[in-house]
Amino acid sequence: DLTTVGTILDGAAYGKFNFMKTTATLQGLNTTLENANGVLDFKGKDMHFYTKQAFINKQPIKVDGKANLNGNIDFDITANSIKIEDLFKILNTSSILSDKKDIVSPIKKINGNTKISIKLTGVVKDFGEILKKNTLNISGNLKLNNTTAEIKDLPVPAQKLYGTINFNNNDWQANLKGTAASSLIEVNGYSKQQKTDITFKAPSLKTDDLIKVLLKPNKNLSEIPSTNSLISFLAHYKNDSNKIDLKKLTAEGKFRKSTNNPQNNDIVINSGSFSIANGDVNLKNFDAKLFNSKIQANGKISEFYSKDYKISGKFNLSDFDISAFNTLKRLTILPPYIKSLLNAYENYQGTADA
């Protein structure tokens, strides 16, 4: 039921379209609005579009927007719970969103549920080209609920993430809490005008969990002795480009014994600290027990992120029980050349300082 009045240059429309069980797609946007019911309401030079029911991949979503014949638009897209991996796929495979891909380029994989609120505003002269206009502003927020994310160049995935991500075109701001290797973490940061500033905090990261993740390709993780130690970790990443540069990462951390540390552990990390800056890793005052022997170490790994990294430092081992070699040489996780050295002899006995 639609009535039009006026001229081609100065016209108006009155009436409604009622759509039912409709399937709709937008060229260049890799998703489909399914089984949609709603109304397209015309009042003079103004238009109101809203859904009473709609789904994306069988997940309920709501679209409510207003526009006028001058080309001004204001649309809201909301969903109480939608799979974030579906949004990730839409963003990475839609040609009209190609200039937004850098926002999520650090993410390898993501899954979980999120509550979304997205707003589209701007001015367009042809509604058929509504999402192709660079002047269109896309803003909103995501509220994560038990989300898991794998980040490029980081060995530990972030799990059970809760919090909010706000965005405005290519700018974003995030406040998230979750776990990494079963330890609590907190991530706060933003990116504005391609400048990125992120802080990562882990007050009690379990050393054993981190070691297992780093050695995950090895199938003999049960052979790795437990250290029952913790790492307090604070990292800061700041860069004037949205491209990842790990040399811009700075971090400081400390080792400490776990409160439930058993007395008969073969390995116990007592204390020590480390820092990361300019691509170098420094280890200071590392103190540990290995088979009732004492280890002290200070060292540096230069150009840690390159294939040509260099290691320098001092390592002191006192009162080492050499009989431990009888156990160590049976570990399949050892490099072959070390195993061949240990297997050249047998019945190790005595103590040594190194």
Side-chain angles (χ1 to χ4, degrees):
D1 181 12
L2 183 66
T3 301
T4 60
V5 296
T7 67
I8 294 176
L9 298 178
D10 186 19
Y14 299 87
K16 290 183 179 181
F17 283 113
N18 294 294
F19 54 91
M20 295 162 285
K21 296 182 179 180
T22 302
T23 298
T25 60
L26 282 171
Q27 185 177 0
L29 189 65
N30 187 23
T31 191
T32 302
L33 198 66
E34 303 164 334
N35 198 22
N37 300 332
V39 178
L40 183 58
D41 189 4
F42 291 90
K43 291 183 180 180
K45 295 181 182 293
D46 298 323
M47 179 195 75
H48 185 196
F49 173 93
Y50 59 93
T51 58
K52 297 178 180 179
Q53 171 187 285
F55 299 87
I56 291 180
N57 292 337
K58 299 181 179 180
Q59 300 162 101
I61 193 167
K62 183 178 181 180
V63 181
D64 191 321
K66 295 181 179 180
N68 60 38
L69 296 182
N70 293 323
N72 295 298
I73 69 163
D74 188 338
F75 273 67
D76 292 299
I77 304 168
T78 57
N80 286 326
S81 181
I82 193 169
K83 292 180 180 179
I84 196 169
E85 55 264 41
D86 290 344
L87 297 179
F88 188 69
K89 181 180 178 180
I90 292 170
L91 181 56
N92 276 295
T93 59
S94 298
S95 59
I96 59 176
L97 298 176
S98 59
D99 63 327
K100 312 295 183 187
K101 290 181 181 179
D102 284 343
I103 300 175
V104 296
S105 61
I107 301 175
K108 287 171 56 179
K109 185 179 180 181
I110 191 167
N111 59 72
N113 295 319
T114 181
K115 181 178 181 179
I116 67 167
S117 176
I118 300 173
K119 180 177 281 290
L120 306 177
T121 58
V123 178
V124 294
K125 294 300 182 184
D126 183 350
F127 287 105
E129 302 286 313
I130 188 171
L131 288 179
K132 294 184 179 181
K133 301 298 181 181
N134 293 328
T135 56
L136 194 66
N137 189 77
I138 304 177
S139 62
N141 64 73
L142 307 177
K143 293 184 178 180
L144 305 188
N145 182 15
N146 197 21
T147 299
T148 297
E150 295 182 20
I151 310 300
K152 295 176 183 177
D153 299 312
L154 292 183
V156 183
Q159 300 173 315
K160 298 180 181 178
L161 285 172
Y162 292 84
T164 303
I165 301 174
N166 298 306
F167 57 91
N168 187 358
N169 278 339
N170 291 337
D171 297 340
W172 57 264
Q173 186 265 336
N175 294 290
L176 304 173
K177 291 184 179 181
T179 63
S182 78
S183 302
L184 295 176
I185 61 170
E186 186 174 337
V187 182
N188 299 286
Y190 69 88
S191 178
K192 188 172 183 179
Q193 297 177 348
Q194 296 190 342
K195 294 182 179 180
T196 304
D197 194 318
I198 305 174
T199 299
F200 176 90
K201 186 187 300 182
S204 296
L205 186 65
K206 294 179 181 178
T207 310
D208 298 329
D209 288 344
L210 182 59
I211 291 173
K212 288 179 181 179
V213 171
L214 292 171
L215 298 179
K216 192 174 182 179
N218 196 297
K219 297 181 180 179
N220 300 288
L221 296 177
S222 60
E223 294 184 348
I224 302 172
S226 174
T227 68
N228 280 314
S229 63
L230 302 172
I231 301 173
S232 59
F233 187 74
L234 178 63
H236 184 214
Y237 178 81
K238 189 174 183 178
N239 193 8
D240 290 339
S241 169
N242 54 12
K243 301 293 185 181
I244 293 180
D245 181 1
L246 289 177
K247 287 188 176 182
K248 302 290 186 179
L249 174 69
T250 60
E252 292 184 354
K254 292 184 179 180
F255 295 97
R256 70 179 189 274
K257 288 192 294 185
S258 175
T259 54
N260 61 348
N261 194 5
Q263 296 297 316
N264 59 350
N265 256 24
D266 291 331
I267 299 176
V268 176
I269 298 176
N270 295 313
S271 60
S273 64
F274 64 91
S275 61
I276 302 173
N278 301 316
D280 299 335
V281 179
N282 287 279
L283 180 67
K284 294 182 179 180
N285 301 322
F286 181 80
D287 184 276
K289 184 199 79 169
L290 174 63
F291 298 107
N292 295 317
S293 306
K294 187 173 184 179
I295 297 175
Q296 292 180 320
N298 290 275
K300 180 178 181 179
I301 306 177
S302 302
E303 299 293 330
F304 178 69
Y305 304 114
S306 75
K307 295 181 180 180
D308 299 321
Y309 63 85
K310 297 179 180 179
I311 302 176
S312 61
K314 294 182 179 180
F315 176 88
N316 294 317
L317 181 67
S318 57
D319 296 324
F320 177 67
D321 185 355
I322 294 179
S323 66
F325 285 159
N326 298 313
T327 301
L328 291 173
K329 69 180 183 179
R330 293 195 294 270
L331 298 181
T332 57
I333 62 173
L334 288 178
Y337 74 94
I338 292 182
K339 287 189 66 176
S340 64
L341 286 173
L342 293 177
N343 284 318
Y345 303 91
E346 57 186 13
N347 296 326
Y348 289 99
Q349 297 180 39
T351 60
D353 295 337

